[in-house]
Amino acid sequence: MELPFEVGALYNRQKQIHGVFGGQQQGGISTPKEHPLVIAFTGEAGVSHGYHDFWDDDEVFHYFGEGQVGDMKYVAGNRAIGEHVKDGKTLVVFQMMGKGRPYRYLGRFMCQSSYVQPGMPDREGQLRSAIVFRLRSLEDSLGLVASEKDQAEIDAAVDDVGATSTRRETEVRTKQRLFRERLIGVEKGCRLTGIEDLRFLRASHIKPWADSTHNERVDGENGLLLAPHADLLFDRGWIGFSSSGRLLISNSLPTDVQARLGLNLDASLRFGAFSPKQLGFLEFHRDVVFDRRHFPITSPLQNFL
């Protein structure tokens, strides 16, 4: 079915989602009666109960079902997700951005299977069994592009020839996509501009891909969502962040460029808190990338694998 949503864009739940398709306006799963559609919302609610949806290494999205107290039951919205293919309905997922905020469209998904996860807390803190759905995204991307430096590595893989390079290209693209999928669960938007629409952002590794381990390369906490001009400054070491969240500006960044960029490059401000893992990656960025004018834009392809 045709949908008026673009992957990565933001929408008002009441007006632009339910106002068009109907369905329950509260809760994590909505099942409009007049349209062959199942709408799942991921994000803040699960975290408040002690668990959260996540992407595994095979790019399968593990989505916890609905039911606030006691064991989850395979009824209502949970059944709608599990049986959406059989029922001939399209399953779409939106990401919650916070109370009173718009919702980010992540696209169409297909439910592959489900399982029961015991020991999960309910709304009252009692342990119960939760139903978890394995969802596969049907989208090519999240509307989010790689950073300048990462894109250069992808292009190098594509430009190479031979069967080995084809395998490398596939692995690079898969790892990049998984990194982006996990990153949006960590970062909501660009810390410098406040932009949250993924179509206008880049997924930037904090610790460069070439210097990272396999696990670090696909770790969402090793990343920031940045507007393109902020991404360029961060990737090339013109800016960084302190452990307290203050912006660091290289003395080598020309003052006239700073003035013309249109960014709030104010070193006296804090641009939010970082998780402990992010702080570790930011320390590496300060030590190795920040204020290093000789730092290369690209790295040898073999460092990927």
Side-chain angles (χ1 to χ4, degrees):
M1 63 179 297
E2 291 292 328
L3 295 171
F5 308 123
E6 187 170 346
V7 176
L10 304 175
Y11 298 92
N12 179 277
R13 178 167 179 170
Q14 278 67 44
K15 295 179 180 179
Q16 296 175 291
I17 302 175
H18 299 299
V20 176
F21 293 101
Q24 302 91 322
Q25 298 192 25
Q26 303 293 328
I29 304 172
S30 182
T31 54
K33 294 182 179 180
E34 304 300 324
H35 300 274
L37 189 66
V38 179
I39 309 172
F41 298 92
T42 179
E44 309 292 339
V47 175
S48 66
H49 292 158
Y51 55 86
H52 61 90
D53 307 329
F54 66 93
W55 295 89
D56 67 23
D57 289 341
D58 295 320
E59 286 193 277
V60 173
F61 188 55
H62 294 240
Y63 179 81
F64 284 77
E66 65 179 4
Q68 297 185 359
V69 179
D71 293 341
M72 291 185 184
K73 306 296 184 182
Y74 195 72
V75 297
N78 291 334
R79 183 206 170 278
I81 288 182
E83 306 293 331
H84 81 95
V85 175
K86 176 182 176 182
D87 295 340
K89 296 185 177 182
T90 298
L91 171 64
V92 298
V93 177
F94 284 85
Q95 181 185 10
M96 304 173 189
M97 304 298 289
K99 187 175 181 179
R101 307 291 304 283
Y103 288 66
R104 178 185 285 153
Y105 180 56
L106 301 186
R108 302 171 189 244
F109 284 70
M110 176 179 291
C111 181
Q112 296 182 319
S113 61
S114 64
Y115 62 94
V116 175
Q117 179 66 53
M120 292 289 102
D122 65 12
R123 184 184 60 192
E124 299 177 352
Q126 301 298 313
L127 297 183
R128 46 83 175 267
S129 293
I131 298 174
V132 188
F133 298 95
R134 296 184 180 91
L135 308 182
R136 175 74 67 177
S137 174
L138 301 180
E139 308 293 344
D140 292 332
S141 72
L142 295 170
L144 178 67
V145 300
S147 70
E148 179 195 34
K149 188 156 68 260
D150 287 350
Q151 188 59 52
E153 295 287 2
I154 294 174
D155 293 341
V158 174
D159 291 341
D160 201 356
V161 295
T164 302
S165 68
T166 300
R167 177 181 62 81
R168 287 182 178 179
E169 177 190 345
T170 300
E171 291 185 11
V172 169
R173 291 190 185 281
T174 299
K175 291 175 184 177
Q176 282 282 351
R177 190 167 55 242
L178 179 58
F179 166 66
R180 297 175 213 174
E181 291 163 344
R182 289 174 170 171
L183 174 58
I184 65 169
V186 177
E187 293 283 296
K188 292 294 181 63
C190 176
R191 290 176 181 257
L192 272 67
T193 65
I195 295 172
E196 296 181 335
D197 189 321
L198 296 182
R199 298 172 299 173
F200 303 95
L201 297 175
R202 289 183 175 176
S204 184
H205 276 87
I206 300 174
K207 182 178 181 180
W209 186 299
D211 299 304
S212 297
T213 65
H214 168 74
N215 288 336
E216 291 172 339
R217 290 169 180 169
V218 295
D219 188 342
E221 293 189 272
N222 183 19
L224 295 174
L225 290 172
L226 295 171
H229 49 340
D231 167 66
L232 182 146
L233 294 179
F234 186 77
D235 263 1
R236 298 193 184 183
W238 296 109
I239 62 172
F241 291 95
S242 72
S243 58
S244 65
R246 294 189 186 276
L247 184 69
L248 303 175
I249 305 171
S250 170
N251 291 328
S252 302
L253 182 61
T255 55
D256 65 315
V257 172
Q258 293 187 47
R260 295 172 183 271
L261 277 170
L263 291 171
N264 185 18
L265 299 180
D266 187 342
S268 68
L269 298 178
R270 285 188 173 89
F271 289 83
F274 294 99
S275 72
K277 288 186 71 175
Q278 283 181 306
L279 289 175
F281 292 126
L282 285 169
E283 181 179 6
F284 184 95
H285 185 274
R286 290 194 299 272
D287 292 342
V288 178
V289 182
F290 176 65
D291 206 18
R292 301 297 197 274
R293 282 174 289 173
H294 61 277
F295 191 77
I297 298 176
T298 61
S299 304
L301 182 61
Q302 60 266 27
N303 287 332
F304 268 104
L305 305 171

